């Protein structure tokens, strides 16, 4: 049999992905990753190069470079190649350099067939044919490349495992004859061979199997062909798959994505059925007209779901629109007895501490005789709460492995200064605090988050008040979801790899006298221009927002074509402002050199200039947010007009954003005080 060399990549002179990695060439698939993630990717890649691994095997060394695995089940099948453990870079480079390159959606099957013709052994190998109901050992005697199918026959001796005993050798032979002995390549798992002769075959089939299971969508072939299919569909879906594997996507968002995908596929099948019934019927009957209307409705639903899928697949927009989580979390309500309880969590209880607690917290001003319960950790105390209860946490450093899901109106208070009452997240998890209660108050605590995917505190429903707290974040900071309310006062938040505070459409967020610093962005206001979203109500007063990597405050919103010129003009103006400021500084410096006796006057001028700058920053934020709110109002009026409503209800149209931005200080933010992220 002729020796089969690895094919060169499409449009590239490299011999293999491993060689490309060793040479430092090839695409940078994780250019937008976090630094720590980048190091991890590079370490994995260097390990790959060191082991001389290749997606396509190596003919320079005798023997296989792939590992083997024992098939599950009771039948003694031969071992198979272990190929489902490939890294992100291996799959990325295989699809980009060797399989798909710059093909269009309509060309995918042809490109795959051409790739298989170069790497697949046409015959002489065995595989396990797997379906949902049986597994059987077959021998491959040929390949139909254009159909992506293998021509097979049953192996001797006959080995089969099924859910019932009806799959005899005769039945399997009849089934193969019905299929003309051709089965899909992705249903085959290649039997292990130590020679290395079938390494490329095993890996090629793994790439095809993964592609049709995790990347390809039934509607992809009907997508527009102006775009590169790899860039538009393969890369974002591949990234999402590995982000999920590496626990970088919240579990709730993963569930949402899977549900959306199932709904999309189901509706698309219905749409195809309706479309085919119309195309096969040439009559212009009333029934056909009804079918056309039904088909259009299904098409609109499918397109809407596809857009949602694309938003989740896009790492930049994945968290812009978010998802509703814990919506079904039920509050306990009042205790059956109607009594309210004070829950006390002591790190260590002493007589003096108990005396102070009794004096300060445990003896209410009212004559109500409250029950007191003691708990060993804060999470147990919160889980024991009913409506109206209060949790008092004594000074100490508490390690908690779990999520605080608060659905009732309760108070959670640290007894002492925040640095004296520390609750630290231990173990991996999506989030730390989830609040859905009507009126929750958290005060005098320091919250420390580790190994998280979501933010340190999520307000999903109701109102949450955060007062005199310190929040040491890991991913994002506080998230205020649609129809939720946050009042944050006299608190300090830092360390978020995303935004310190994320404000969703339709929410209410009041920030008073807080510090928000050393985050990716300070405060992020999410897009609310969509007609489905309500305008948020925002108040920011006397906050110190400093030392953030990006902007102090950033607004996320879609680009409207008519605004492109205005945006360009604003950007030009913004770019000239630093120069003006620099000129003023230079003038001040020159004046200082010329008149050394006027230092006091110049310091006063500097303070005035700084105060003026901060006032301008506050005004700019308020004006832009207000203008965006007015833009939404205008869009909404226009849509109502198109629908035939010439006079809109005043209450409906008065969705102006309530904005109060006063006295905030913005210092040393990497990109400036305020910015807009267009998408």
């Amino acid at each position: 049999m002729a020796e089969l060399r690895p094919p060169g990549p499409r449009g590239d002179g490299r011999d293999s992905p491993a060689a490309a990695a060793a040479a430092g060439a090839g695409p940078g698939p994780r250019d937008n990753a976090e630094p720590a993630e980048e190091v991890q990717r590079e370490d994995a890649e260097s390990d790959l190069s060191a082991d001389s691994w290749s997606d396509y095997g190596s003919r320079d060394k005798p023997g296989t470079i792939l590992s083997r695995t024992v098939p599950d089940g009771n039948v003694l099948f031969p071992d198979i190649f272990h190929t489902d453990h490939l890294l992100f870079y291996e799959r990325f480079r295989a699809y980009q350099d060797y399989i798909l390159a710059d093909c269009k959606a309509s060309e995918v099957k042809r490109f795959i067939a051409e790739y298989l013709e170069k790497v697949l052994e046409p015959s002489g190998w065995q595989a396990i044919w797997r379906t949902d109901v049986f597994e059987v050992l077959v021998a491959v005697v040929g390949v139909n490349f254009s159909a992506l199918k293998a021509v097979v026959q049953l192996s001797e001796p006959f080995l089969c495992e099924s859910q019932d005993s009806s799959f005899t050798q005769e039945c399997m032979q009849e089934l193969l004859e019905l299929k003309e002995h051709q089965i899909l390549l992705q249903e085959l798992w290649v039997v292990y061979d130590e020679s290395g002769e079938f390494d490329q075959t095993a890996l090629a089939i793994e790439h095809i199997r993964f592609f049709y299971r995790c990347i390809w969508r039934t509607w992809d072939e009907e997508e527009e062909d102006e775009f590169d299919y790899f860039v538009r569909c393969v890369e974002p879906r591949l990234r999402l798959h590995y982000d999920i594997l590496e626990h970088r996507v919240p579990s709730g968002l993963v569930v949402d994505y899977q549900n959306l995908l199932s709904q999309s596929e189901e509706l698309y099948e219905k749409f195809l059925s309706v479309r085919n019934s119309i195309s096969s019927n040439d009559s212009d009957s009333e029934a056909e007209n009804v079918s056309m209307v039904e088909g259009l409705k299904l098409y609109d639903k499918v397109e809407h779901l596809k857009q949602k899928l694309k938003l989740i697949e896009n790492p930049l927009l994945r968290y812009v629109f978010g998802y509703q989580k814990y919506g079904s979390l039920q509050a306990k309500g009042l205790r059956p007895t109607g009594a309210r309880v004070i829950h006390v969590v002591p790190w260590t209880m002493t007589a003096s501490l108990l005396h102070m607690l009794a004096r300060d917290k445990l003896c209410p001003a009212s004559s109500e005789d409250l029950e007191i319960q003691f708990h060993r950790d804060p999470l147990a105390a919160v889980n024991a709460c009913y409506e109206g209860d209060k949790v008092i946490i004594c000074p100490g450093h508490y390690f908690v492995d779990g999520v605080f899901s608060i659905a009732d109106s309760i108070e959670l208070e640290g007894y002492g200064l925040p640095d004296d009452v520390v609750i630290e997240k231990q173990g991996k998890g999506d989030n730390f605090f989830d609040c859905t209660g009507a009126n929750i108050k958290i005060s005098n605590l320091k919250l420390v988050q580790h190994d998280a995917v979501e933010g340190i505190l999520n307000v999903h429903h109701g109102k949450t008040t955060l007062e005199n707290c310190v929040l040491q974040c890991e991913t994002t900071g506080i998230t205020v979801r649609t129809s939720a309310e946050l009042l944050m006062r006299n608190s300090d938040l830092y360390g978020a790899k995303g935004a310190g505070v994320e404000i969703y459409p339709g929410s209410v967020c009041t920030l008073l006298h807080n510090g928000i610093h050393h985050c990716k962005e300070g405060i992020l206001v999410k897009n609310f221009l969509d007609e489905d979203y309500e305008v948020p109500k925002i108040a920011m007063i006397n906050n110190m927002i400093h030392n953030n990597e990006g902007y102090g405050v950033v607004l996320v919103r879609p680009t409207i074509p008519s605004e492109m010129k205005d945006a360009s003009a604003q950007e030009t103006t913004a770019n000239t402002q630093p120069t003006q400021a620099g000129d003023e500084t230079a003038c001040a410096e020159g004046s200082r050199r010329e008149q050394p006796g006027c230092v006091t006057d110049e310091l006063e001028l500097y303070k005035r200039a700084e105060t003026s700058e901060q006032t301008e920053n506050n005004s700019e934020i308020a004006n832009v947010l207000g203008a965006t709110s007015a833009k939404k109002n205008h869009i909404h009026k226009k849509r109502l007009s198109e629908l035939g409503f010439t006079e809109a209800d005043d209450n409906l149209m008065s969705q102006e954003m309530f904005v109060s931005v006063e006295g905030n200080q913005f210092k040393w933010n990497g990109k400036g005080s305020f910015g807009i992220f267009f998408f």
Side-chain angles (χ1 to χ4, degrees):
M1 187 177 293
E3 182 173 281
L4 195 62
R5 293 281 181 180
R10 298 179 185 268
D12 199 318
R14 289 169 282 176
D15 291 333
S16 73
R30 281 289 184 183
D31 292 339
N32 64 339
E34 296 293 337
E37 178 191 348
E38 194 69 41
V39 172
Q40 182 181 3
R41 298 286 190 192
E42 291 173 1
D43 289 343
E45 186 180 357
S46 63
D47 292 342
L48 193 64
S49 302
D51 294 336
S52 299
W53 177 270
S54 169
D55 280 348
Y56 304 93
S58 172
R59 294 301 179 188
D60 298 329
K61 297 181 181 179
T64 180
I65 59 172
L66 300 178
S67 58
R68 66 201 300 167
T69 185
V70 179
D72 297 329
N74 299 321
V75 176
L76 295 178
F77 284 114
D79 292 354
I80 57 177
F81 284 105
H82 186 202
T83 55
D84 59 359
H85 63 298
L86 300 181
L87 301 175
F88 171 84
Y89 271 111
E90 297 173 87
R91 295 196 193 277
F92 184 98
R93 288 179 171 172
Y95 293 129
Q96 185 184 53
D97 293 347
Y98 294 86
I99 304 175
L100 300 175
D102 57 353
C103 76
K104 310 303 180 186
S106 59
E107 301 172 327
V108 166
K109 192 171 182 179
R110 178 170 63 84
F111 271 58
I112 290 176
E114 292 175 359
Y115 156 74
L116 292 175
E117 285 187 53
K118 297 176 182 178
V119 300
L120 215 64
E121 292 288 349
S123 61
W125 47 280
Q126 287 186 309
I128 297 177
W129 175 24
R130 288 179 174 173
T131 68
D132 294 334
V133 292
F134 65 81
E135 296 182 6
V136 63
L137 185 66
V138 296
V140 177
V141 296
V143 178
N144 183 348
F145 292 105
S146 61
L148 308 185
K149 291 182 177 181
V151 182
V152 303
Q153 60 187 23
L154 296 177
S155 293
E156 295 292 342
F158 174 70
L159 293 177
C160 178
E161 183 173 24
S162 61
Q163 296 177 358
D164 56 63
S165 57
S166 62
F167 287 93
T168 62
Q169 185 170 357
E170 291 74 19
C171 290
M172 294 304 303
Q173 190 63 42
E174 290 180 9
L175 179 61
L176 283 177
E177 289 174 359
L178 286 173
K179 290 179 169 288
E180 298 180 345
H181 288 266
Q182 294 191 25
I183 57 179
L184 291 171
L185 284 167
Q186 61 258 37
E187 295 180 356
L188 297 179
W189 273 257
V190 181
V191 170
Y192 183 78
D193 185 275
E194 293 182 347
S195 68
E197 185 177 358
F198 303 113
D199 284 15
Q200 296 180 60
T201 297
L203 283 164
I205 291 177
E206 169 61 29
H207 287 312
I208 304 310
R209 177 165 46 245
F210 180 87
F211 175 79
Y212 281 106
R213 280 189 175 182
C214 303
I215 305 296
W216 181 254
R217 308 286 183 254
T218 53
W219 54 80
D220 280 354
E221 202 164 10
E222 298 191 10
E223 290 284 330
E224 297 177 2
D225 259 2
E226 304 90 60
F227 300 96
D228 185 328
Y229 180 72
F230 178 85
V231 173
R232 186 175 187 179
C233 297
V234 178
E235 182 178 357
R237 293 171 187 170
L238 185 62
R239 290 187 188 281
L240 176 62
H241 177 83
Y242 277 89
D243 283 345
I244 292 173
L245 284 182
E246 296 165 14
H247 306 290
R248 287 197 295 271
V249 181
S251 58
L253 192 56
V254 175
V255 171
D256 280 1
Y257 182 78
Q258 293 170 344
N259 290 338
L260 286 170
L261 189 57
S262 299
Q263 293 173 32
S264 302
E265 291 172 344
E266 182 180 346
L267 285 175
Y268 187 70
E269 288 298 323
K270 290 181 180 179
F271 167 73
L272 289 180
S273 177
V274 172
R275 187 177 68 177
N276 293 336
S277 68
I278 295 174
S279 59
S280 62
N281 189 357
D282 296 332
S283 65
D284 190 15
S285 63
E286 182 179 350
E288 184 177 355
N289 292 334
V290 172
S291 295
M292 290 184 66
V293 172
E294 182 185 356
L296 288 173
K297 288 181 178 178
L298 286 171
Y299 178 80
D300 287 341
K301 289 180 180 178
V302 170
E303 287 299 311
H304 184 66
L305 291 174
K306 284 163 61 177
Q307 290 303 316
K308 286 187 174 181
L309 289 171
K310 288 179 180 178
L311 289 175
I312 298 176
E313 290 165 357
N314 188 317
L316 293 177
L317 301 179
R318 186 174 301 161
Y319 302 104
V320 169
F321 297 89
Y323 64 101
Q324 296 300 319
K325 192 176 179 182
Y326 296 113
S328 60
L329 187 63
Q330 296 296 319
K332 296 179 184 177
L334 291 172
R335 203 172 256 95
T337 61
R340 292 190 301 123
V341 174
I342 295 180
H343 305 264
V344 179
V345 184
W347 179 255
T348 57
M349 180 58 74
T350 62
S352 60
L353 178 59
L354 184 59
H355 174 73
M356 288 188 292
L357 276 172
R359 180 192 65 196
D360 299 336
K361 300 294 181 182
L362 305 182
C363 295
S366 66
S367 58
E368 183 181 3
D369 189 16
L370 296 177
E371 178 183 343
I372 299 172
Q373 294 182 7
F374 290 87
H375 301 268
R376 300 184 64 179
D377 69 85
L379 185 57
V382 169
N383 290 339
C385 282
Y386 283 77
E387 184 82 11
D389 284 4
K390 185 174 185 178
V391 179
I392 298 174
I393 305 175
C394 298
H397 196 127
Y398 302 87
F399 293 91
V400 174
D401 189 356
V403 179
F404 288 87
S405 298
I406 307 176
D408 290 280
S409 296
I410 66 171
E411 291 186 35
L412 185 61
E413 179 182 353
Y415 184 55
L417 297 174
D419 286 336
D420 296 330
V421 189
V422 181
I423 303 177
E424 184 170 346
K425 181 80 166 69
Q426 196 173 40
K428 288 191 175 182
D430 279 355
N431 41 24
F432 200 0
F433 276 75
D434 280 298
C435 301
T436 60
N439 193 2
I440 298 168
K441 183 175 181 180
I442 303 171
S443 60
N444 301 330
L445 293 175
K446 180 175 182 179
L447 308 179
V448 181
Q449 183 187 35
H450 297 295
D451 294 325
V453 177
E454 291 192 65
I456 196 167
L457 189 146
N458 284 280
V459 187
H460 296 275
H461 304 290
K463 178 180 179 180
T464 296
T465 300
L466 199 67
E467 188 167 2
N468 196 33
C469 289
V470 176
L471 293 89
Q472 180 179 320
C473 306
E474 172 78 10
T475 51
T476 53
I478 299 174
T479 302
V480 193
R481 302 281 181 183
T482 300
S483 71
E485 180 177 355
L486 171 72
L487 169 58
M488 181 177 172
R489 181 191 293 122
N490 298 327
S491 296
D492 191 51
L493 185 153
Y494 60 92
K497 293 187 178 71
V501 179
E502 292 185 355
I503 303 173
Y504 274 69
S507 64
V508 179
C509 184
T510 304
L511 305 175
L512 308 174
H513 305 278
N514 302 291
I516 301 173
H517 55 98
H518 294 91
C519 302
K520 179 75 173 179
E521 309 284 352
I523 298 169
L524 188 147
V525 183
K526 302 216 170 191
N527 168 53
F528 56 87
L529 277 178
D530 192 287
E531 61 181 288
D532 296 329
Y533 297 146
E534 297 292 332
V535 177
K537 294 179 174 59
I538 301 171
M540 296 167 47
I541 299 173
N542 295 333
N543 299 284
M544 171 64 85
I545 303 171
H546 64 96
N547 288 101
N548 296 291
E549 183 179 338
Y551 292 102
V553 178
V554 61
L555 170 66
V556 177
R557 54 162 295 184
T559 303
I560 299 176
S562 61
E563 297 177 334
M564 293 299 290
K565 291 184 179 180
D566 294 340
S568 177
Q570 290 176 5
E571 184 178 355
T572 304
T573 304
N575 289 337
T576 62
Q577 288 176 354
T579 305
Q580 295 170 358
D583 294 341
E584 292 173 4
T585 305
C587 292
E589 291 290 344
S591 175
R592 190 175 297 117
R593 285 192 298 269
E594 292 171 6
Q595 301 178 18
C598 299
V599 175
T600 304
D601 294 339
E602 291 186 17
L603 285 174
E604 184 65 28
L605 287 173
Y606 178 79
K607 288 179 181 178
R608 288 180 185 176
E610 185 178 21
T611 303
S612 176
E613 181 184 356
Q614 297 298 343
T615 302
E616 289 176 5
N617 289 334
N618 284 272
S619 299
E620 179 189 6
I621 294 170
N623 291 338
V624 173
L625 293 179
T628 308
S629 175
K631 174 71 68 175
K632 176 184 172 63
N633 197 350
H634 174 73
I635 292 172
H636 194 51
K637 282 183 178 179
K638 184 178 179 182
R639 179 166 178 79
L640 288 176
S641 177
E642 291 172 352
L643 294 174
F645 294 96
T646 55
E647 294 185 8
D649 181 14
D650 289 340
N651 292 329
L652 183 66
M653 299 310 303
S654 62
Q655 289 191 15
E656 294 295 329
M657 176 191 287
F658 171 77
V659 180
S660 177
V661 184
E662 300 175 6
N664 302 287
Q665 296 188 53
F666 301 88
K667 294 186 177 182
W668 310 300
N669 296 295
K671 294 183 179 179
S673 303
F674 180 69
I676 302 176
F677 174 74
F678 291 98
F679 65 91

